[in-house]
Structures are given as structure tokens and as C-alpha cells.
Amino acid sequence: MYVAVKGGEKAILSSHDLLALKRRGDERLPELDVAQIREQLPLAVDRVMAEGSLYDPDLAALAIKQAMGDTQEAIFLLRAYRTTLPRLGYSEPLDTSRMVIQRRISATYKDLPGGQVLGPTFDYTHRLLDFSLSRSAGNESHDSAPTATPNPDTPAERVPRVAEILGDEGLLEDEVGGEDGPVGDITREPLTFPADRDVRLQSLSRADEGFLLGLAYSTQRGFGSTHPFAGEIRMGEAAVELAPEELGFAIEIGDILVTECEMITQFKGTKDIPPQFTRGYGLVFGHSERKAMSMALVDRSLRCEEYGQEPSAPAEDHEFVLYHGDNVEAQGFVSHLKLPHYVDFQGELTMLRSMRKAMDENAATADTQDQDSADTAVQPEEASDHDI
């Protein structure tokens, strides 16, 4: 047994060495550093931060490098590191109406107060490979590259939301919950059902983007009671405020890049509630419109019972969505199948062989009985003299 353990340990260490060689790649090429990943793969960094539940571009870039570009493995690394950090306090709710806008669009109003801001997006590009990107840019230093950071001394102007425009006319439901209400924490308390909306939104914000995208698509194809409009999608930097007990008031501790989406969906109303639009909400770290939009669509589907609608689709099932959306949990449970299951398999194998043996014996017995029945069948009576 000791020899087997030592042999396994040696193989594992050799696997680590091979992994390091694979990560480095061809040594004739310059090594990719963390700063390059952070600056030139920002969307991958943003996804790792969002689903890793830790806003730190440098650590997210490091995780991507360590994981060789496997975003789910990088998310796992960042989530694991997050558990080692102390909890210093809870921030105040983000005031996204005062974010420094980098992108803001609405599919419901053309002439929007504050304007439509296209910003950086693939939406208006031709999906054609740009071979000019394959050429090296030379030996320019990234330290001297210009940056497009806003002036911190310029206060952010408040840009009204589309939801406020509809709300002023009474055409959109009031937001559920409030800033002063208690908020759950799924990182410290286990997920239980029925789950309140604050807990659901936390789960969705760190859920796998692909999983949410598939669910959101299903709601648009009829597997969910929604007919959505993109009320507003905005991306920019929002101030994070903390209210220390010793001060008694909030102070700004920094800015983070976030993407916010509000979907509006028609609702016919009831005898107590007039016809109005309902809403779905999404907010994620970084520039991640696809994730925020998917989150908003699924959020509205999960609220179906609030409007007297019977859950009938996967996107409307709380347990199905929230239990299966976490990619760290999902990949852990799927990947555990790679671990040794020798004893379990031998048990299944023995049972299967026994079942097949019993089946063969039963078949043989049945054949014998059929043959005996054929041999003992009634024979024709011999002819008698009288008959002749």
C-alpha cells in the first residue's frame, strides 16, 4: 500500500510539471504576463470576477493565466481564494443612477433623457476575422499606453432610468424590497426554499453565464411567461460606499465597473392590480451585457407566482435554476466522476453479471419446458379394425 501511495504521489508531481510546461508553451515566444491579460482580455477578466464573486482584476487575470484560459477553472481558483479573505463589512446599495456611463442603450425609447451611448460593443461589428490583429504591435511598453479613465474630480451626473419614466405614469410596478430591509448572504447561509428575491438575485449574479443564457433563451421561445423589452442596459463605474459604525455616515471607498439591465414585461393585471409592466433585474461585475440581460430575464420568470402564474417551465422553477446555476458546484459534481470508483463499479459489475446469469438460466429453463411440452403433445389414435 505504501508503495502504491508513493507511486501515485510521484505521478501527481509529474503531472504538475507537465501542466507548468503546457501553461508556458513555446519558450521562444514571450511569456504572457498578468497585466496583458488584465488589459487585453477584459471581458474574460470581468466574467471571472463576476462568477468568482470577487472584484479584483489583477487576481482574476492571474487566475486566468494559471488556468490556461479555462474560465471555469479560473472562477474556481478565485472563489477558493475568496474564502480566505476577512469580511470587513457590508457596503451601501450601489446608486447606479449616478454611475459614470460608458455605455447606455434602451430598446424602448429612441430619444432617451441623457441620450443613448453606444460605447464599446460588438453589436455593430461585422463578424469577420480581423487578420491585422495577428501582426505584432512591436515592443511598445504598456506602461506608456493612454488610458480612458474618467476624471475623479468630476462628479457623476444623475442619469434617470427608463423605469423611472414609466413609473411616473404608473405604468411600471414598484420595485420589490427596499434599501432598509434585511438582505440575505448566500456566502454565509445555505440556500433554502422558498428563496426571497434578494437571495435569488445573489445566486443569479454569480451563476454560470452559459446556463443563464440558455434559460433566458428558453423564456423567449415560450418556456416562460415573458414577452420582454430591454428597458435599459447601462455599463459604467459606480461608487462603492461604506458606513463605518464609528462614523455614522457613508464614505466612498472606490469605484467598480458594473453592468445593469432592466427588462420590462407586459402584465394584464388582476381585479386588484391594474394592467402595467413588470420588471426583471440584472446587475453583474464588469462589462457583461449578455449575463446581465440573461439574469434579468430569468429573474422575471422566477417571479411568476407573484403574478398568480403557475410555474410550468424550467426557468420558473426556483430549485432547478438556483441549484444548478453555480458552475463551481456543477463542475465539482461532474468532475468527481473522474475520481476512482473501483469498488462501486465492481459492485455494479457483479450485480449485472448475476442478473445476466439468472436471465440466461431462466431462458434455458423456458426452452427446456417448451421442448418437453412439444414431446408430450397428444399423438393421433391408432386406427382400429372397426374403423377399417
Side-chain angles (χ1 to χ4, degrees):
M1 177 62 75
Y2 178 73
V3 174
V5 170
K6 293 295 289 184
E9 181 182 6
K10 183 178 180 181
I12 291 173
L13 293 176
S14 296
S15 176
H16 290 172
D17 293 337
L18 288 173
L19 186 63
L21 290 173
K22 184 73 173 178
R23 179 185 300 115
R24 177 58 182 87
D26 191 341
E27 293 188 356
R28 293 173 296 180
L29 299 176
E31 182 177 1
L32 191 65
D33 63 30
V34 171
Q36 288 175 301
I37 296 173
R38 183 194 66 221
E39 296 299 325
Q40 299 179 42
L41 299 178
L43 299 185
V45 169
D46 288 347
R47 177 176 180 180
V48 171
M49 289 195 304
E51 298 178 26
S53 296
L54 181 61
Y55 192 93
D56 191 315
D58 289 317
L59 290 180
L62 175 61
I64 291 173
K65 179 178 181 179
Q66 183 176 334
M68 297 190 294
D70 185 337
T71 54
Q72 289 200 358
E73 179 67 20
I75 290 163
F76 200 159
L77 291 170
L78 199 64
R79 191 87 67 87
Y81 178 77
R82 183 184 185 279
T83 63
T84 68
L85 301 176
R87 179 65 60 87
L88 300 178
Y90 291 91
S91 69
E92 297 294 301
L94 293 180
D95 184 2
T96 54
S97 67
R98 301 195 67 85
M99 71 164 56
V100 180
I101 297 292
Q102 296 183 20
R103 173 166 162 78
R104 179 189 185 233
I105 61 171
S106 172
T108 55
Y109 288 97
K110 178 181 178 181
D111 298 319
L112 197 62
Q116 304 253 15
V117 182
L118 299 188
T121 178
F122 293 114
D123 290 350
Y124 314 107
T125 63
H126 300 293
R127 262 61 176 201
L128 301 174
L129 283 176
D130 183 359
F131 290 99
S132 66
L133 297 176
S134 64
R135 295 192 292 269
S136 174
N139 298 321
E140 299 175 3
S141 172
H142 64 268
D143 293 331
S144 60
T147 58
T149 56
N151 184 355
D153 297 328
T154 302
E157 295 183 2
R158 190 179 187 281
V159 180
R161 296 187 179 89
V162 169
E164 296 175 7
I165 300 174
L166 294 172
D168 290 342
E169 296 184 52
L171 299 178
L172 181 67
E173 66 170 343
D174 294 332
E175 184 58 274
V176 177
E179 297 181 357
D180 298 330
V183 178
D185 186 351
I186 61 174
T187 66
R188 292 195 167 189
E189 301 170 0
L191 188 62
T192 58
F193 297 94
D196 293 333
R197 192 178 180 212
D198 57 330
V199 172
R200 299 199 304 264
L201 288 173
Q202 287 181 52
S203 297
L204 294 177
S205 68
R206 54 192 248 155
D208 181 76
E209 180 180 316
F211 179 81
L212 282 188
L213 179 63
L215 286 177
Y217 179 46
S218 74
T219 68
Q220 294 177 277
R221 297 189 64 249
F223 295 90
S225 303
T226 61
H227 181 64
F229 296 90
E232 185 173 1
I233 302 166
R234 58 171 65 192
M235 182 269 292
E237 293 187 345
V240 179
E241 296 182 336
L242 195 67
E245 294 183 2
E246 60 271 21
L247 294 181
F249 57 87
I251 58 174
E252 186 175 320
I253 61 174
D255 298 313
I256 61 173
L257 184 69
V258 295
T259 302
E260 181 183 48
C261 174
E262 285 193 283
M263 288 286 179
I264 56 178
T265 302
Q266 188 175 2
F267 178 58
K268 296 180 180 179
T270 65
K271 64 178 182 179
D272 300 320
I273 304 175
Q276 60 184 353
F277 287 112
T278 59
R279 66 175 81 201
Y281 184 76
L283 179 72
V284 294
F285 285 155
H287 185 188
S288 185
E289 293 176 27
R290 189 167 50 231
K291 172 72 174 290
M293 294 175 68
S294 300
M295 179 179 172
L297 288 169
V298 176
D299 170 51
R300 172 56 182 86
S301 290
L302 290 175
R303 301 179 62 199
C304 64
E305 291 181 283
E306 298 178 23
Y307 309 106
Q309 300 163 344
E310 189 70 23
S312 59
E316 297 173 332
D317 188 312
H318 290 201
E319 294 191 35
F320 179 83
V321 173
L322 302 184
Y323 268 147
H324 301 101
D326 193 303
N327 61 30
V328 173
E329 293 281 352
Q331 70 168 311
F333 203 77
V334 172
S335 296
H336 99 282
L337 297 175
K338 295 186 289 187
L339 299 175
H341 287 77
Y342 309 134
V343 175
D344 293 341
F345 180 72
Q346 290 301 317
E348 295 281 345
L349 192 60
T350 299
M351 181 179 67
L352 186 62
R353 285 171 174 165
S354 299
M355 293 171 64
R356 289 178 64 90
K357 181 179 179 181
M359 184 177 179
D360 292 340
E361 291 175 349
N362 292 336
T365 301
D367 290 343
T368 302
Q369 291 175 349
D370 291 342
Q371 185 63 42
D372 292 342
S373 299
D375 293 340
T376 58
V378 177
Q379 299 297 327
E381 295 182 359
E382 295 181 359
S384 61
D385 295 338
H386 178 73
D387 294 332
I388 294 174

